[in-house]
Amino acid sequence: VMAYFWVLKNGEDEAGVTIHWIDHGIDTGNILMRKKVKIHDGMTQFDVLEKSAIVGVHLLRSIGKKIINDDPLPHIKTIEAHTDYYSFPCETAFNHYFKKHNFFNIRSILNLFMKQKL
């Protein structure tokens, strides 16, 4: 549900972005592509979300090209219920998390503006 939350709270050094078919479940469709994202000390939620979104766009572009060209789509596996999935954090987990982590820092916002072509 909130991958950035658990990745930062648990002090993980990587996260992942997954592209999968949508079905009636939550994140239970067949996986087409996935890629790991490095997490560095001091990263904020914003940093993780931005980095994950960029990776996601590249994966979607790759899948889109395969669909347009009528190429076979990759199939990695089907996620079994809750095997790669964390639940929504409780209030205690949120309180503990926000004592150590920020949603963003001003450097993240300035870097985002500097990347934009005006």
Side-chain angles (χ1 to χ4, degrees):
V1 170
M2 295 174 51
Y4 68 83
F5 175 88
W6 292 111
V7 165
L8 293 174
K9 182 179 183 307
N10 294 339
E12 305 288 343
D13 58 358
E14 60 185 27
V17 176
T18 304
I19 306 299
H20 58 88
W21 287 112
I22 297 173
D23 62 10
H24 295 298
I26 298 175
D27 292 345
T28 56
N30 290 338
I31 296 172
L32 298 171
M33 297 183 92
R34 52 180 6 171
K35 185 170 182 176
K36 293 180 180 179
V37 176
K38 291 283 186 194
I39 304 298
H40 306 286
D41 287 338
M43 287 182 81
T44 65
Q45 293 173 36
F46 181 86
D47 297 329
V48 175
L49 290 168
E50 179 184 30
K51 195 169 186 178
S52 298
I54 291 168
V55 168
V57 165
H58 290 287
L59 294 178
L60 284 171
R61 183 179 296 146
S62 177
I63 291 293
K65 285 179 183 178
K66 289 182 180 298
I67 290 170
I68 289 170
N69 294 329
D70 218 14
D71 293 338
L73 296 175
H75 173 76
I76 298 173
K77 71 172 185 140
T78 302
I79 297 178
E80 294 179 21
H82 300 288
T83 56
D84 295 350
Y85 207 78
Y86 283 106
S87 63
F88 195 80
C90 65
E91 184 177 353
T92 303
F94 266 120
N95 291 339
H96 180 262
Y97 173 86
F98 283 112
K99 287 180 182 177
K100 296 181 179 181
H101 301 284
N102 296 316
F103 180 71
F104 68 91
N105 60 37
I106 195 65
R107 181 173 289 131
S108 298
I109 301 301
L110 291 174
N111 283 337
L112 180 64
F113 284 121
M114 298 303 289
K115 292 178 187 176
Q116 301 299 314
K117 294 180 182 178
L118 302 174

